[in-house]
Each structure stands twice: as C-alpha cells, then as structure tokens.
Amino acid sequence: MRQLKRILTPEDIQGRVEELGASISDYYEATPDLLVIGLLKGSFIFLADLVRRIRTPHEIAFLGIESYGDSMQTGGRIEMTYNPKPRIHGRSVLLVDDIIDTGQTMNFVLPILEEQGAGEIEVCVLLHKRKASNLKCDARWVGFDAPQDFLVGYGLGLGEQFRHLPYIAAVVDDT
Ligand code: IMP
Ligand code: MG
C-alpha cells in the first residue's frame, strides 16, 4: 500500500526559504528590472513564499509546463500549457521551480528564454534529485537535495492531489 512519509516539515521549508531569499536578494542587489518566472503548477507555493523574502524589486510571471501526467514517471512528453508572454528581452530572469528530476523541464524552458533574448538566466529550485547529467544550466540556488522517491506536498502533486499539504512527503510502498 502507498503511504506518505514526511521528509520536510513546514518549519524546515520556511527556514530554508528565508536563507534562499537572503542569498537571492544579495545577488540581485544592484539588478534593475528583475523578472522572476515560476513554472506551474509545482512552483506556486514555493514562489509565493520565496518572493516575499526577496528584497530586490521584481516582476513575477508564470509559465505552465507539463511533463507528468497522473503517474510517478516522466512521460518524456513535455509541453507549454500556459504562456502569457512576459517581456523577456534583455532582462535578468530568475527561473523558479519546485524540483529538478531528470532536468528535462529546465532543458525545455531555458532555450525558449534564450531565444527571446533574456539577459542573464539563473535557476532556483526547492528540491534537486541530483540525477540530471546534461543540464543546460544548473541551479544557482537549491533548497534541499532530494531523495529519489516521488515527492508530494508544498506545491508538488501526484495526479493533481497533495499539492496543498504544508509539508513535503515521499510516496513510499510499505507492502
Ligand atoms: P524533470 O523535468 O524530470 O526535471 O522534472 C521536473 C518537473 O517534474 C517538476 O517541475 C515537477 O513538476 C515534476 N516532478 C519531478 N519530480 C517530481 C516529484 O518527485 N514529485 C512531484 N513532481 C515532480
Ligand atoms: Mg513542474
């Protein structure tokens, strides 16, 4: 039977988000016109907490990228499901996502932003499974190294469930 095994408490997450926000604020201290882009849906809670810790003035935008259906495996198929076309050209872009697993999502989005003439692009993720070997640009900021299990909660979903959980849990088979 599938069980949820809690691995990060709300307090663990908030403490780390505060540190990430401080580091990001220092890095972008002198940057005008910063654009923070969250990838939907997984980043929505992390982004909401993170931007409240970033002191540098910035605009927030979202792109919808879908790579997982209802299963715990990457389908290899990836598509952009929402793109309101924020102004990218010449801007410093901070790309925020919940997790890097195979790296496919980042490798799909980064060239799109480059083609649109983004200035500097940096990546911040809450979780990193550290198994992607061919990342076009690795994350400058990582909240936590993650186990290889499928994770849910704090924005991360499984079949569109569990995103609302305030903690992060691994989906484990205990049979
Ligand atoms: P990647 O493209 O394989 O790096 O996977 C990144 C995307 O897949 C993330 O934006 C998540 O939406 C989703 N994903 C990857 N691993 C997990 C997981 O353990 N739980 C929930 N979503 C995941
Ligand atoms: Mg995602």
Side-chain angles (χ1 to χ4, degrees):
M1 216 174 80
R2 270 189 198 163
Q3 298 271 350
L4 295 189
K5 186 178 133 208
R6 296 182 191 212
I7 61 164
L8 291 169
T9 66
E11 292 73 26
D12 295 332
I13 298 167
Q14 288 313 316
R16 189 67 186 123
V17 169
E18 195 172 330
E19 290 172 357
L20 292 171
S23 172
I24 290 169
S25 301
D26 289 345
Y27 183 82
Y28 288 115
E29 197 176 6
T31 303
D33 210 20
L34 175 64
L35 175 63
V36 178
I37 300 181
L39 301 185
L40 295 174
K41 298 176 189 168
S43 76
F44 82 108
I45 295 181
F46 176 45
L47 185 100
D49 284 344
L50 184 67
V51 294
R52 283 179 283 179
R53 300 286 183 183
I54 300 178
R55 295 186 307 271
T56 318
H58 58 277
E59 178 185 340
I60 297 163
F62 293 97
L63 294 175
I65 309 287
E66 214 156 289
S67 59
Y68 280 80
D70 285 358
S71 84
M72 294 196 282
Q73 298 299 317
T74 173
R77 185 184 54 83
I78 185 160
E79 60 181 317
M80 194 172 284
T81 53
Y82 174 69
N83 182 6
K85 301 204 163 49
R87 183 173 57 82
I88 304 277
H89 195 265
R91 301 181 79 178
S92 293
V93 175
L94 174 63
L95 200 53
V96 178
D97 204 3
D98 52 352
I99 186 164
I100 294 180
D101 180 7
T102 64
Q104 166 174 255
T105 300
M106 283 301 161
N107 284 349
F108 176 82
V109 178
L110 288 163
I112 294 173
L113 299 178
E114 280 164 5
E115 272 164 32
Q116 293 177 45
E120 185 198 29
I121 303 172
E122 298 294 349
V123 173
C124 173
V125 289
L126 180 64
L127 300 156
H128 201 318
K129 287 191 182 170
R130 302 286 183 197
K131 71 181 195 203
S133 57
N134 61 344
L135 278 176
K136 293 190 202 296
C137 164
D138 207 351
R140 180 175 286 272
W141 295 279
V142 175
F144 302 94
D145 285 353
Q148 300 306 310
D149 309 278
F150 199 84
L151 305 177
V152 295
Y154 195 70
L156 291 92
L158 170 58
E160 295 311 326
Q161 295 300 307
F162 307 116
R163 293 193 195 275
H164 65 286
L165 299 175
Y167 53 85
I168 291 174
V171 181
V172 293
D173 207 337
D174 72 347
T175 51

